[in-house]
Amino acid sequence: GKLVEGLTKTRNNIVSGIDSIFNGFSSIDDEFYDEIEEILIMGDLGINATTSIIEDLKEKVKANKIKDPAECKELLIESIKDEMNVGETAYEFEHRKSVILVIGVNGVGKTTSVGKLAGKLKDQGKKVVLAAADTFRAAAGEQLTQWANRAGVDIIGGQEGADPAAVVYDAVAASKARNADVLLCDTAGRLHNKKNLMEELKKIDRVLEREYPDAYRETLVVLDGTTGQNALAQAKQFKEAANITGIILTKLDGTAKGGIAIAIHSELGIPVKYIGVGETIDDLQKFNANDFVNALFD
Ligand code: GDP
């Protein structure tokens, strides 16, 4: 399906190289492992994940008494899956009154992802209210309104330059009045001004603690998968500013840098919860490590 199709370039980037190693070596030696390591690092998996995957592969090869390099491929796939499986990812907002804050720098696909997520939750029978709390960027509210219409959900907006926490306050009131299941907040993620971002998020946090204390809370960071290691650096900075509970990794369709999904798990210890594989409302998928690795090696 869409995931297998979308990962074509990533697959070419990582798996073609690995296949040529598995078929090109006649014995399993240091050079063999070095070459696999190089492919994984070039494939944006990062040092941490790569080192850990190679160590695990070595152990599996030893434990299974494997002598033929061609037999290592299945073990490598298992090692990558093991590296990514940081436990079951929770989606509690699908079961309780919830508030999801979505943050991310301009251009990463934040508004699009909020729109897609609204559509997805609506399809699951949830009543969704959107808060257009990215009042920093003039077009953001308008763009989100289009998505709200597309998804068929309510939206609470604010004037450009309005206090985001005030928009969230209004949106909480609307969510309660309309008995919404999920309040989904688009917020401005101004990383170049981390102090402001932190203050803004703290203020929103105080409003939510006071006005909606029982709600289940999530803060998702949207990262652009095509930016590879830069996405990782961004995530690290956001992690310093907020209590991040998950990642939405966008634009995995058509990038060769999809290996970043594997790096994020090991570098940040934060689960990738959703991936974007296209521009339409249906192109947001729940992330599943097994499916991802299977699609990669399909
Ligand atoms: P924002 O500035 O972070 O809110 O970014 P937008 O939501 O406006 O998205 C920026 C561009 O990225 C738009 O052209 C989107 O259609 C595109 N985009 C967002 N997510 C995806 C995705 O998963 N795949 C592709 N191919 N494009 C995407």
Side-chain angles (χ1 to χ4, degrees):
K2 195 95 189 187
L3 183 58
V4 173
E5 199 182 297
L7 288 175
T8 302
K9 284 187 186 161
T10 301
R11 182 163 46 248
N12 289 343
N13 189 19
I14 300 175
V15 180
S16 316
I18 280 174
D19 278 341
S20 70
I21 294 169
F22 287 136
N23 299 324
F25 274 78
S26 53
S27 65
I28 299 170
D29 52 20
D30 284 348
E31 202 191 330
F32 169 76
Y33 286 118
D34 286 350
E35 296 233 353
I36 296 174
E37 187 172 291
E38 195 179 320
I39 298 265
L40 297 183
I41 286 172
M42 297 300 286
D44 272 298
L45 274 74
I47 299 283
N48 278 0
T50 300
T51 308
S52 154
I53 288 165
I54 298 287
E55 285 309 310
D56 189 67
L57 176 65
K58 284 180 180 170
E59 278 171 28
K60 283 186 164 72
V61 165
K62 209 170 159 190
N64 291 286
K65 300 190 169 63
I66 304 286
K67 298 275 180 285
D68 179 3
E71 284 179 52
C72 289
K73 185 167 174 179
E74 284 311 313
L75 296 181
L76 177 66
I77 293 171
E78 287 312 311
S79 295
I80 295 175
K81 284 181 180 173
D82 289 350
E83 177 64 25
M84 292 181 81
N85 276 320
V86 288
E88 188 73 8
T89 300
Y91 294 92
E92 284 184 52
F93 54 84
E94 291 177 2
H95 309 288
R96 287 170 56 190
K97 297 283 183 204
S98 308
V99 180
I100 308 172
L101 298 182
V102 182
I103 59 183
V105 301
N106 285 346
V108 293
K110 183 163 57 85
T111 307
T112 306
S113 298
V114 169
K116 288 172 178 173
L117 189 53
K120 208 176 180 62
L121 293 169
K122 170 91 191 296
D123 283 349
Q124 289 166 12
K126 303 284 166 211
K127 184 151 179 61
V128 179
V129 168
L130 288 184
D134 180 357
T135 54
F136 188 68
R137 198 161 58 93
E142 227 168 274
Q143 203 187 333
L144 197 65
T145 302
Q146 285 174 11
W147 277 104
N149 292 339
R150 225 171 274 153
V153 303
D154 294 347
I155 180 164
I156 305 299
Q159 297 290 328
E160 185 187 343
D163 182 356
V167 176
V168 170
Y169 180 93
D170 290 345
V172 169
S175 297
K176 286 180 176 172
R178 299 170 199 185
N179 194 29
D181 300 298
V182 184
L183 170 58
L184 195 49
C185 306
D186 188 18
T187 65
R190 280 170 285 155
L191 253 193
H192 62 271
N193 197 334
K194 206 158 67 188
K195 192 163 167 287
N196 273 4
L197 173 68
M198 239 182 279
E199 288 307 316
E200 199 168 290
L201 291 172
K202 268 191 203 145
K203 206 168 161 190
I204 291 173
D205 200 59
R206 283 198 295 273
V207 168
L208 290 170
E209 285 299 319
R210 196 176 60 225
E211 304 299 325
Y212 214 174
D214 302 334
Y216 170 75
R217 299 272 305 277
E218 289 249 6
T219 302
L220 305 179
V221 176
V222 182
L223 301 173
D224 180 340
T226 66
T227 63
Q229 296 301 311
N230 282 341
L232 200 59
Q234 259 175 32
K236 282 181 179 159
Q237 286 199 280
F238 276 117
K239 203 180 164 185
E240 287 171 27
N243 179 24
I244 309 302
T245 59
I247 308 278
I248 299 177
L249 190 59
T250 63
K251 310 186 195 181
L252 280 186
D253 51 309
T255 179
K257 296 178 185 290
I260 196 69
I262 301 165
I264 286 173
H265 273 249
S266 1
E267 297 281 337
L268 302 171
I270 300 172
V272 175
K273 292 208 163 176
Y274 290 97
I275 51 175
V277 293
E279 295 187 89
T280 73
I281 195 155
D282 299 319
D283 294 330
L284 188 78
Q285 300 187 349
K286 246 187 203 179
F287 182 77
N288 175 291
N290 284 332
D291 293 349
F292 181 85
V293 179
N294 286 340
L296 203 54
F297 285 89
D298 198 39

PDB file of all heavy atoms in Angstrom, residues 45 106 110 131 147 150 161 174 184 222 259 293:
ATOM      1  N   LEU A  45      20.027   6.442  10.174  1.00  0.00           N
ATOM      2  CA  LEU A  45      19.619   5.790  11.415  1.00  0.00           C
ATOM      3  C   LEU A  45      20.327   6.360  12.639  1.00  0.00           C
ATOM      4  O   LEU A  45      19.904   6.132  13.765  1.00  0.00           O
ATOM      5  CB  LEU A  45      19.857   4.266  11.350  1.00  0.00           C
ATOM      6  CG  LEU A  45      18.711   3.469  10.726  1.00  0.00           C
ATOM      7  CD1 LEU A  45      18.675   3.655   9.228  1.00  0.00           C
ATOM      8  CD2 LEU A  45      18.826   2.004  11.084  1.00  0.00           C
ATOM      9  N   ASN A 106       7.522  26.171  11.236  1.00  0.00           N
ATOM     10  CA  ASN A 106       6.813  26.400   9.975  1.00  0.00           C
ATOM     11  C   ASN A 106       7.342  25.502   8.860  1.00  0.00           C
ATOM     12  O   ASN A 106       8.539  25.314   8.728  1.00  0.00           O
ATOM     13  CB  ASN A 106       6.969  27.857   9.529  1.00  0.00           C
ATOM     14  CG  ASN A 106       6.107  28.784  10.342  1.00  0.00           C
ATOM     15  OD1 ASN A 106       5.198  28.337  11.054  1.00  0.00           O
ATOM     16  ND2 ASN A 106       6.382  30.066  10.255  1.00  0.00           N
ATOM     17  N   LYS A 110       2.724  20.907   9.931  1.00  0.00           N
ATOM     18  CA  LYS A 110       1.975  20.921  11.190  1.00  0.00           C
ATOM     19  C   LYS A 110       0.468  21.076  10.946  1.00  0.00           C
ATOM     20  O   LYS A 110      -0.326  20.254  11.418  1.00  0.00           O
ATOM     21  CB  LYS A 110       2.497  22.056  12.075  1.00  0.00           C
ATOM     22  CG  LYS A 110       1.854  22.130  13.446  1.00  0.00           C
ATOM     23  CD  LYS A 110       2.691  22.983  14.377  1.00  0.00           C
ATOM     24  CE  LYS A 110       2.916  24.392  13.861  1.00  0.00           C
ATOM     25  NZ  LYS A 110       1.818  25.311  14.189  1.00  0.00           N
ATOM     26  N   ALA A 131      -8.457  24.025  17.877  1.00  0.00           N
ATOM     27  CA  ALA A 131      -8.110  25.361  18.358  1.00  0.00           C
ATOM     28  C   ALA A 131      -7.002  25.912  17.467  1.00  0.00           C
ATOM     29  O   ALA A 131      -5.933  25.308  17.366  1.00  0.00           O
ATOM     30  CB  ALA A 131      -7.631  25.300  19.806  1.00  0.00           C
ATOM     31  N   TRP A 147      -9.010  23.029   6.583  1.00  0.00           N
ATOM     32  CA  TRP A 147      -8.899  21.636   7.026  1.00  0.00           C
ATOM     33  C   TRP A 147     -10.090  21.238   7.901  1.00  0.00           C
ATOM     34  O   TRP A 147     -10.595  20.125   7.795  1.00  0.00           O
ATOM     35  CB  TRP A 147      -7.588  21.409   7.790  1.00  0.00           C
ATOM     36  CG  TRP A 147      -6.435  21.156   6.875  1.00  0.00           C
ATOM     37  CD1 TRP A 147      -5.440  22.026   6.540  1.00  0.00           C
ATOM     38  CD2 TRP A 147      -6.162  19.948   6.148  1.00  0.00           C
ATOM     39  NE1 TRP A 147      -4.566  21.437   5.667  1.00  0.00           N
ATOM     40  CE2 TRP A 147      -4.976  20.170   5.400  1.00  0.00           C
ATOM     41  CE3 TRP A 147      -6.790  18.714   6.049  1.00  0.00           C
ATOM     42  CZ2 TRP A 147      -4.435  19.190   4.580  1.00  0.00           C
ATOM     43  CZ3 TRP A 147      -6.237  17.741   5.227  1.00  0.00           C
ATOM     44  CH2 TRP A 147      -5.069  17.980   4.504  1.00  0.00           C
ATOM     45  N   ARG A 150     -12.895  20.506   5.649  1.00  0.00           N
ATOM     46  CA  ARG A 150     -12.642  19.234   4.972  1.00  0.00           C
ATOM     47  C   ARG A 150     -12.945  18.059   5.898  1.00  0.00           C
ATOM     48  O   ARG A 150     -13.548  17.071   5.503  1.00  0.00           O
ATOM     49  CB  ARG A 150     -11.164  19.191   4.554  1.00  0.00           C
ATOM     50  CG  ARG A 150     -10.911  18.712   3.160  1.00  0.00           C
ATOM     51  CD  ARG A 150      -9.444  18.919   2.808  1.00  0.00           C
ATOM     52  NE  ARG A 150      -9.168  20.249   2.299  1.00  0.00           N
ATOM     53  CZ  ARG A 150      -7.991  20.884   2.390  1.00  0.00           C
ATOM     54  NH1 ARG A 150      -6.976  20.311   3.004  1.00  0.00           N
ATOM     55  NH2 ARG A 150      -7.829  22.078   1.886  1.00  0.00           N
ATOM     56  N   GLY A 161      -2.037  37.481  16.113  1.00  0.00           N
ATOM     57  CA  GLY A 161      -1.419  38.188  17.222  1.00  0.00           C
ATOM     58  C   GLY A 161      -2.140  38.004  18.549  1.00  0.00           C
ATOM     59  O   GLY A 161      -1.654  38.468  19.586  1.00  0.00           O
ATOM     60  N   ALA A 174     -15.587  25.812  24.565  1.00  0.00           N
ATOM     61  CA  ALA A 174     -16.386  25.282  23.451  1.00  0.00           C
ATOM     62  C   ALA A 174     -16.428  23.759  23.488  1.00  0.00           C
ATOM     63  O   ALA A 174     -17.470  23.137  23.258  1.00  0.00           O
ATOM     64  CB  ALA A 174     -15.809  25.772  22.121  1.00  0.00           C
ATOM     65  N   LEU A 184      -8.055  19.527  19.776  1.00  0.00           N
ATOM     66  CA  LEU A 184      -6.798  19.430  19.038  1.00  0.00           C
ATOM     67  C   LEU A 184      -6.289  20.848  18.796  1.00  0.00           C
ATOM     68  O   LEU A 184      -6.938  21.628  18.102  1.00  0.00           O
ATOM     69  CB  LEU A 184      -7.115  18.715  17.719  1.00  0.00           C
ATOM     70  CG  LEU A 184      -6.051  18.132  16.825  1.00  0.00           C
ATOM     71  CD1 LEU A 184      -5.080  17.267  17.572  1.00  0.00           C
ATOM     72  CD2 LEU A 184      -6.721  17.314  15.716  1.00  0.00           C
ATOM     73  N   VAL A 222       5.679  17.872  15.403  1.00  0.00           N
ATOM     74  CA  VAL A 222       5.694  17.500  13.993  1.00  0.00           C
ATOM     75  C   VAL A 222       7.088  17.738  13.430  1.00  0.00           C
ATOM     76  O   VAL A 222       7.663  18.821  13.593  1.00  0.00           O
ATOM     77  CB  VAL A 222       4.656  18.323  13.189  1.00  0.00           C
ATOM     78  CG1 VAL A 222       4.663  17.892  11.728  1.00  0.00           C
ATOM     79  CG2 VAL A 222       3.272  18.164  13.788  1.00  0.00           C
ATOM     80  N   GLY A 259      14.902   6.546   7.189  1.00  0.00           N
ATOM     81  CA  GLY A 259      15.583   5.862   8.287  1.00  0.00           C
ATOM     82  C   GLY A 259      15.576   6.682   9.567  1.00  0.00           C
ATOM     83  O   GLY A 259      15.792   6.154  10.658  1.00  0.00           O
ATOM     84  N   VAL A 293       9.207  -1.412   9.355  1.00  0.00           N
ATOM     85  CA  VAL A 293      10.401  -2.181   8.954  1.00  0.00           C
ATOM     86  C   VAL A 293      10.034  -3.188   7.871  1.00  0.00           C
ATOM     87  O   VAL A 293      10.790  -3.376   6.906  1.00  0.00           O
ATOM     88  CB  VAL A 293      11.063  -2.861  10.176  1.00  0.00           C
ATOM     89  CG1 VAL A 293      12.285  -3.662   9.747  1.00  0.00           C
ATOM     90  CG2 VAL A 293      11.469  -1.815  11.215  1.00  0.00           C
TER      91      VAL A 293
END
